[in-house]
Amino acid sequence: MGLMEALSFLCKAQFWRMAVCWTLSLILSYLQLFSQIHFSRKSKLHDRCSSKSSSSSNAAIGKSICIITGATSGLGAAVSYALAKEGYCVILAGRSLHSLSKVVSEIKEQIDDACVKAFQVDLSSCKSILSFKHSLQQWLLDSDLHCSVQLLINNAGILATSYRITTEQCDQMVSTNYIGPFCLTKLLLPLLELSPIPSRIVNVTSFTHRNVSSMEVTRETISGQWFSKLSSYPFAHVYEYSKLCLLLFTYELHRQVGLAEKSHSVSVIAADPGVVKTNIMREIPSSLSWLAFFVLKLLGLLQSPDVGISSVLDAVHAPPETSGVYFFGGNGRTLRSSRLSYNSKLAKDLWDASSQIFLERQLTSQDTTDQRQY
């Protein structure tokens, strides 16, 4: 059964898109980084700020609060441990309560004075995101911590190999990878703006966005409903598309924050960890995912989560004035993302359409809650 499943998967064009196009876009990213370091006069390294100044030592708030989505394993769990070790009060957000409890226990076993809290949230559901926001606010009010957030890391992401529709009539992968982070960020932005020290949003994106050459902003494409009309689900393309959307959102939010007087202390950064050995490929036949990781390791492109978090930590600890940049490759290095990702009109159209979906979801969730209360 496993062999037949693998052979069937090998016949899919989307598998070869992953195997060839994703590998080439990753290699091109590293070549671009090499060229920038050795030949470009504009090459700039962003030194990390002292963790003491960015985390636990600020008297105005006690401990800086960091929210990390997709924190149940892999990259998210590794970042959570690293920031808890630096003195952050780390809030883990994920779908599985069992996995969240396991990560919390592991962090507390290794760090005696760790401040860690877990909340269950499904980023493909606006109702779940709203519930998380209300629970978070109540927890902040009940605690001795300042009622604000200093750091939001949108790390959650899935690679689904089949079309699955959410209760809100959206594609699950697009919802989890883009619409969910968009809604969560919009809901938590007031708490980030309340921070007495500079706050930051870090969106974890991917080099795979470089494979998207064009994009049309419509309600059907943003929600992912358009993909259901195709004869077979283009999962590799949908993943690339969702990561491009997250990057466009990053740059547009950076512009929006710059225009809003009360948001000047909020910075927005994209971080690309490269290829990290996590369970994101769990829906791909195990023999093929093992082979993919083996080849990437031979090429020197595969990283463990502990190494892969480097670009994310670079984004977290970059100077407060750093915003609207794309971290890649570790050691404080930034890179230019694809040309399409800098299309400001496309980003604005995406922002407007996503905001409309966000408002509709809010109203629907509120109506459902009111009906149940009635």
Side-chain angles (χ1 to χ4, degrees):
M1 182 65 179
L3 178 60
M4 292 302 295
E5 183 187 18
L7 289 174
S8 175
F9 207 85
L10 272 172
C11 296
K12 294 183 177 182
Q14 291 297 302
F15 169 76
W16 291 104
R17 183 181 181 95
M18 289 173 58
V20 178
C21 296
W22 289 14
T23 303
L24 287 175
S25 61
L26 178 62
I27 292 172
L28 286 172
S29 293
Y30 278 112
L31 287 174
Q32 183 183 343
L33 189 66
F34 178 84
S35 174
Q36 180 176 288
I37 292 170
H38 294 282
F39 304 111
S40 175
R41 294 180 180 179
K42 296 181 180 180
S43 179
K44 181 180 179 181
L45 298 179
H46 295 263
D47 294 329
R48 293 185 184 181
C49 292
S50 168
S51 61
K52 290 182 179 180
S53 63
S54 61
S55 58
S56 63
S57 64
N58 192 288
I61 56 174
K63 279 181 176 286
S64 289
I65 297 173
C66 168
I67 300 172
I68 305 174
T69 65
T72 53
S73 63
L75 197 72
V79 172
S80 299
Y81 173 77
L83 295 180
K85 193 174 181 181
E86 291 181 13
Y88 280 86
C89 178
V90 179
I91 296 174
L92 312 179
R95 284 181 295 178
S96 169
L97 274 177
H98 173 73
S99 299
L100 286 169
S101 298
K102 184 180 177 182
V103 175
V104 169
S105 297
E106 289 173 352
I107 291 175
K108 288 186 174 181
E109 282 177 8
Q110 298 176 66
I111 307 170
D112 293 334
D113 60 344
C115 176
V116 190
K117 176 70 176 177
F119 289 93
Q120 186 177 30
V121 59
D122 179 3
L123 285 177
S124 68
S125 165
C126 186
K127 182 180 176 182
S128 179
I129 295 170
L130 282 166
S131 177
F132 165 64
K133 180 214 172 186
H134 294 145
S135 298
L136 172 66
Q137 286 182 312
Q138 189 59 54
W139 178 75
L140 287 171
L141 288 170
D142 294 339
S143 70
D144 294 329
L145 298 167
H146 191 273
C147 197
S148 63
V149 172
Q150 284 65 55
L151 179 61
L152 170 62
I153 302 178
N154 286 312
N155 165 72
I158 62 170
L159 175 60
T161 56
S162 61
Y163 180 75
R164 295 192 287 270
I165 194 166
T166 67
T167 55
E168 293 159 349
Q169 304 304 304
C170 291
D171 174 79
Q172 187 185 35
M173 179 152 57
V174 175
S175 288
T176 303
N177 295 2
Y178 168 63
I179 299 177
F182 179 91
C183 295
L184 179 65
T185 303
K186 291 272 279 186
L187 285 169
L188 296 184
L189 191 56
L191 290 176
L192 288 153
E193 291 170 342
L194 282 174
S195 176
I197 64 172
S199 56
R200 173 160 290 162
I201 299 161
V202 176
N203 290 328
V204 180
T205 184
S206 167
F207 56 90
T208 58
H209 80 275
R210 297 182 184 278
N211 292 295
V212 183
S213 57
S214 63
M215 176 178 162
E216 184 180 357
V217 176
T218 66
R219 185 180 182 83
E220 282 195 325
T221 55
I222 295 173
S223 65
Q225 292 175 344
W226 182 81
F227 301 115
S228 66
K229 299 179 179 180
L230 303 177
S231 57
S232 61
Y233 185 61
F235 57 88
H237 177 69
V238 176
Y239 184 83
E240 299 161 2
Y241 165 81
S242 69
K243 290 301 181 179
L244 174 63
C245 285
L246 191 62
L247 197 49
L248 286 163
F249 165 54
T250 302
Y251 295 149
E252 181 57 28
L253 181 57
H254 163 68
R255 285 187 283 267
Q256 297 277 344
V257 162
L259 295 173
E261 186 176 338
K262 61 181 179 179
S263 298
H264 279 180
S265 62
V266 181
S267 56
V268 193
I269 294 177
D272 182 347
V275 176
V276 182
K277 190 173 183 181
T278 67
N279 63 356
I280 194 168
M281 295 177 70
R282 58 184 171 272
E283 294 191 24
I284 293 173
S286 56
S287 57
L288 295 182
S289 60
W290 179 88
L291 180 62
F293 283 140
F294 178 74
V295 172
L296 288 166
K297 187 175 182 180
L298 284 179
L299 293 172
L301 300 174
L302 182 64
Q303 307 169 91
S304 68
D306 291 337
V307 175
I309 64 174
S310 180
S311 61
V312 179
L313 295 181
D314 286 341
V316 168
H317 295 308
E321 64 274 11
T322 303
S323 186
V325 295
Y326 177 82
F327 277 90
F328 177 84
N331 297 317
R333 293 175 292 198
T334 58
L335 199 63
R336 283 190 62 80
S337 50
S338 70
R339 180 178 296 180
L340 187 61
S341 69
Y342 292 108
N343 186 322
S344 57
K345 184 183 183 304
L346 183 64
K348 184 62 169 60
D349 290 345
L350 180 65
W351 173 280
D352 292 340
S354 302
S355 295
Q356 184 61 38
I357 291 175
F358 168 65
L359 289 172
E360 291 174 3
R361 283 188 171 194
Q362 268 193 304
L363 290 172
T364 302
S365 298
Q366 186 61 50
D367 288 343
T368 304
T369 302
D370 291 343
Q371 288 173 8
R372 288 184 176 180
Q373 288 176 345
Y374 179 77

